[in-house]
Amino acid sequence: MKGRFTILTLMMAMFIMVSCDNNDSFDDGKLSEKQVPKAVLAEFEEKYPDATNVTWAKKYDSYAVASFTTSGQQTSGKDHTAWFEWGTGKWNMTEVEMPYSMIPEAVKTAFEASAYSKSPWVRDNEVDFLQRPDNTEALYVINVEKKESGVETEMELYYTAAGVLVKEIADVDKDNDYHDYLPQTPSDAINAWLSTNYPGARMVDMEREHNSTEIEFVCNGLKYEAVFDASNQWVYTKTDFGRNYASLVPEVVMTALTGKYSTSEWRVEDAEEFESAANHYFSFELERLQSAWDDEIDVYISVDGTFIERPQNPENPGGEGGNVPVAEDLLTFIQQQYSGAVVIGKEYDDGLLEIKISHNGLIKEVKFNGRNQWVKTEYDIYNYEDLPLAVRTTLEADKDFQKVKMEMEATETPSDTVYKIEIETARAEVQYTINAAGTLLHKEYDD
């Protein structure tokens, strides 16, 4: 009996091994060359005839991925990672590691003019170059990092060859394989809209979430984002003007802006144009120059030069939780943390994905890092009574506190909620920083 059981066990093991071999089993995704589809091998050999040190893997059940070096003049000895569609063999993307010295001058110029080229930021000497087909824009990814007050921050900066900064993403996973940047094909309707309105545009990225599609593209040196509904009908477009905003924004809008916010007192940190069937306005993020505090405000001006409140994005039929495409895990978090919230905007700010929501009558900015981890939520408070009782008790016990010219804001983090309250008295401006328990964390004067 024991001998028969052993023979049967061996036969079953051999059957399993043969079955697995026939089904192209993989060791942690690694492939032997004979397991790679012939269409992929043919495309690879045609595109990279000088490839050496080639290894293969299967990723996301859809791609054959080759890692190799080449003897080409520009990229000799550099690490390459090329992605091919498993079924068709079509090449989708190649990541090439190259030294900073090899990137285009336009990218160097743009980076070295940015704050990321200066202390405390430190640049990595290796740059990742993402080559992609058709009308999809190639990207140069520069990695920088800093350490302040014991906190380390890493940032990935995505530039086009012309030096347009299209993305800043903080604290991305160490093993980022750029899978999210594999090219996607917009619908025929979206392609037609793009060709008509922005001839020569090149795609940067595309997201499909909750019956909405968002495309990011570059055209004539500017970055754009456009959103379409479930029927592929245009909903709105946002234009990022970058450093050249003054020459691109209409004169009537610039006159209104500088007339109220003098350039000697305020600096424009960001300028954008927003256009839909219902709205056409410009958004400016301003920072006060002569202040001991981090004073920032958002200003909205219509195309005719009139100051306005921030309009809500137009309704996008079929969208869940709002009208802006938002990843499922992030939308779930927002719905759980802020019940009843409506998503009204999405953008990157200082490397964090900032999702603007309307919640309980307030506009809140919910921010996530490159790993889709919640970092913080910021919002202004307009009624003193909306501050927690513990915070009000601490304020009213302070000898300098008065209920005059108050500005209040809250910052929620996974560990605590902190409130900043600024008051302006006849003698001085005072800023309080108090946590939710009512502990005074900081008090500062700005005479």
Side-chain angles (χ1 to χ4, degrees):
M1 177 72 73
K2 183 176 179 181
R4 289 170 58 190
F5 178 79
T6 303
I7 293 172
L8 180 60
T9 302
L10 288 171
M11 290 177 66
M12 289 178 65
M14 290 175 65
F15 174 78
I16 292 172
M17 289 173 66
V18 171
S19 298
C20 289
D21 184 65
N22 289 338
N23 285 289
D24 291 334
S25 67
F26 314 122
D27 178 12
D28 296 328
K30 295 180 181 179
L31 306 176
S32 66
E33 186 170 309
K34 68 179 182 179
Q35 292 174 305
V36 180
K38 292 181 179 179
V40 172
L41 290 176
E43 180 78 4
F44 175 73
E45 290 168 4
E46 180 178 350
K47 190 169 184 64
Y48 297 105
D50 58 350
T52 57
N53 305 314
V54 182
T55 60
W56 288 93
K58 187 175 185 180
K59 290 193 174 185
Y60 305 100
D61 292 326
S62 301
Y63 298 94
V65 181
S67 298
F68 58 98
T69 57
T70 70
S71 56
Q73 184 177 0
Q74 294 298 317
T75 56
S76 176
K78 304 306 175 199
D79 291 333
H80 293 60
T81 305
W83 296 66
F84 299 85
E85 291 179 4
W86 185 264
T88 66
K90 181 181 178 182
W91 171 72
N92 273 207
M93 179 175 70
T94 299
E95 172 198 347
V96 184
E97 292 184 9
M98 60 176 59
Y100 178 80
S101 59
M102 285 182 59
I103 67 177
E105 287 301 320
V107 179
K108 290 181 186 176
T109 299
F111 170 73
E112 289 166 11
S114 73
Y116 293 111
S117 68
K118 302 170 180 63
S119 180
W121 292 102
V122 178
R123 172 181 56 79
D124 192 335
N125 189 51
E126 291 293 321
V127 175
D128 292 334
F129 175 41
L130 305 184
Q131 298 173 304
R132 303 185 294 175
D134 304 326
N135 69 333
T136 308
E137 185 70 21
L139 299 172
Y140 293 83
V141 187
I142 300 176
N143 290 274
V144 295
E145 61 181 28
K146 69 176 180 179
K147 186 172 184 179
E148 289 184 310
S149 303
V151 178
E152 293 185 1
T153 303
E154 297 180 354
M155 196 77 72
E156 287 188 350
L157 310 174
Y158 292 73
Y159 287 92
T160 69
V164 179
L165 180 60
V166 293
K167 282 185 181 293
E168 309 166 54
I169 306 179
D171 298 323
V172 179
D173 281 331
K174 296 282 189 183
D175 58 351
N176 182 22
D177 61 8
Y178 301 110
H179 170 251
D180 291 339
Y181 294 91
L182 288 163
Q184 300 181 60
T185 303
S187 67
D188 291 342
I190 293 177
N191 268 328
W193 178 90
L194 197 59
S195 298
T196 300
N197 294 279
Y198 298 92
R202 293 179 62 80
M203 291 284 294
V204 171
D205 198 8
M206 184 173 78
E207 292 183 31
R208 290 191 181 98
E209 297 286 350
H210 305 286
N211 298 318
S212 295
T213 300
E214 178 186 61
I215 61 172
E216 297 181 20
F217 59 96
V218 289
C219 186
N220 296 326
L222 293 177
K223 176 196 168 186
Y224 298 85
E225 298 174 17
V227 170
F228 301 81
D229 65 16
S231 300
N232 293 318
Q233 297 299 305
W234 172 72
V235 179
Y236 65 84
T237 304
K238 183 172 68 174
T239 309
D240 187 348
F241 291 115
R243 298 189 303 272
N244 299 319
Y245 70 93
S247 62
L248 298 169
V249 173
E251 183 178 355
V252 64
V253 175
M254 286 302 303
T255 299
L257 178 68
T258 56
K260 186 172 182 178
Y261 298 96
S262 169
T263 54
S264 63
E265 185 179 0
W266 295 91
R267 175 176 57 237
V268 176
E269 290 290 295
D270 194 22
E272 298 175 334
E273 180 180 14
F274 181 100
E275 186 172 7
S276 70
N279 295 305
H280 189 183
Y281 65 90
F282 295 82
S283 169
F284 299 91
E285 182 181 312
L286 305 180
E287 181 178 0
R288 192 188 297 271
L289 296 173
Q290 305 298 325
S291 175
W293 303 331
D294 184 19
D295 284 351
E296 294 182 347
I297 59 171
D298 292 328
V299 174
Y300 305 94
I301 305 176
S302 68
V303 71
D304 65 1
T306 304
F307 284 89
I308 59 175
E309 295 296 319
R310 184 193 192 281
Q312 181 167 321
N313 289 350
E315 186 62 29
N316 182 358
E320 298 179 28
N323 56 355
V324 179
V326 175
E328 182 71 35
D329 55 341
L330 304 186
L331 186 59
T332 298
F333 172 86
I334 289 171
Q335 291 172 339
Q336 292 175 345
Q337 189 83 355
Y338 304 102
S339 178
V342 174
V343 177
I344 61 173
K346 182 180 72 171
E347 63 185 352
Y348 279 95
D349 184 28
D350 293 331
L352 299 177
L353 176 59
E354 175 184 287
I355 300 177
K356 290 188 178 183
I357 63 172
S358 176
H359 179 245
N360 292 340
L362 298 174
I363 302 299
K364 300 182 178 181
E365 299 171 352
V366 191
K367 302 187 178 186
F368 301 86
N369 65 16
R371 301 172 191 170
N372 282 2
Q373 297 170 328
W374 177 54
V375 176
K376 59 184 175 181
T377 299
E378 298 176 329
Y379 53 94
D380 292 328
I381 297 174
Y382 301 100
N383 298 312
Y384 177 71
E385 289 71 22
D386 290 337
L387 291 172
L389 177 60
V391 175
R392 284 182 277 142
T393 300
T394 299
L395 286 171
E396 292 164 12
D398 185 82
K399 63 181 180 62
D400 293 319
F401 179 71
Q402 300 176 42
K403 293 182 183 179
V404 291
K405 290 189 176 181
M406 300 178 62
E407 293 184 5
M408 301 168 288
E409 64 180 47
T411 301
E412 301 174 5
T413 67
S415 60
D416 202 356
T417 299
V418 173
Y419 299 85
K420 284 188 178 179
I421 302 95
E422 295 180 11
I423 64 170
E424 182 178 345
T425 69
R427 291 181 297 150
E429 295 181 12
V430 187
Q431 183 184 83
Y432 301 88
T433 304
I434 304 171
N435 70 7
T439 303
L440 180 62
L441 305 176
H442 188 68
K443 179 181 177 182
E444 185 176 352
Y445 295 89
D446 187 8
D447 297 326

